C-alpha cells in the first residue's frame, strides 16, 4: 500500500520526514484495525519525494505545498468516514511535521484505487479476495 509524501526542500527535516511517514503508516493500519498485522504492516511502503523549492505550485505560481498520496486496492478506506479520517488526520500529521513551514491550506491529499487483481507484492498479482485472505491469515 504505497504512501507518497511530496514536499519542497526544507519543508520537513529528515526526522520530520521519517516521523510523518511512520505516523501515516500507523494511521492507515489503525483505520482498518490492522495495527501489528504481520502481512499488512511490511506491505505499507512508500517514499518521501523532496523537490527543489521552486518546483511546487499552487494556483500556477510557486508555493510551498505538501501532498500525501495513498495507492491502495479498492476495498481500502471503503467509507466516506474512513476517507475523511485519512485526510483530516493525515493533514494534521504533515502539518505537525512541517513545524509551520507549510500552511494547512497548502496540504493536499488523495487516494488512488487499483483495479481488482492489479495489486502485486513480490512479483505475485493479488485479487482483492486473495489480499483479504492473506491479511486474515496473518
Amino acid at each position: 500500500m504505497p504512501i507518497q509524501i511530496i514536499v519542497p526542500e526544507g519543508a520537513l527535516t529528515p526526522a520530520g520526514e521519517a516521523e510523518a511517514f511512520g505516523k501515516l503508516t500507523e494511521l492507515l493500519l489503525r483505520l482498518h484495525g490492522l495495527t501489528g498485522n504481520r502481512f499488512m504492516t511490511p506491505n505499507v511502503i512508500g517514499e518521501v519525494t523532496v523537490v527543489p523549492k521552486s518546483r511546487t505550485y499552487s494556483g500556477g505560481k510557486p508555493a510551498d505545498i505538501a501532498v500525501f498520496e495513498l495507492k491502495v486496492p479498492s476495498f481500502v478506506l471503503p467509507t466516506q468516514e474512513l476517507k475523511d479520517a485519512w485526510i483530516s488526520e493525515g493533514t494534521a500529521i504533515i502539518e505537525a511535521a512541517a513545524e509551520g513551514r507549510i500552511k494547512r491550506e497548502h496540504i493536499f491529499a488523495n487516494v488512488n484505487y487499483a483495479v481488482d487483481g492489479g495489486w502485486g507484492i513480490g512479483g505475485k498479482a493479488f485479487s482483492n479476495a486473495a489480499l483479504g485472505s492473506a491479511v486474515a491469515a496473518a
Side-chain angles (χ1 to χ4, degrees), residues 14-64:
E17 292 174 9
E19 180 181 344
F21 197 92
K23 287 184 176 184
L24 288 174
T25 299
E26 291 169 5
L27 173 61
L28 179 61
L29 293 168
R30 179 176 54 81
L31 290 175
H32 283 279
L34 295 174
T35 300
N37 183 276
R38 290 175 298 154
F39 177 81
M40 188 54 63
T41 299
N43 289 308
V44 179
I45 61 165
E47 70 275 343
V48 177
T49 301
V50 178
V51 299
K53 193 163 181 65
S54 62
R55 306 280 306 269
T56 56
Y57 299 85
S58 176
K61 296 179 181 172
D64 287 340

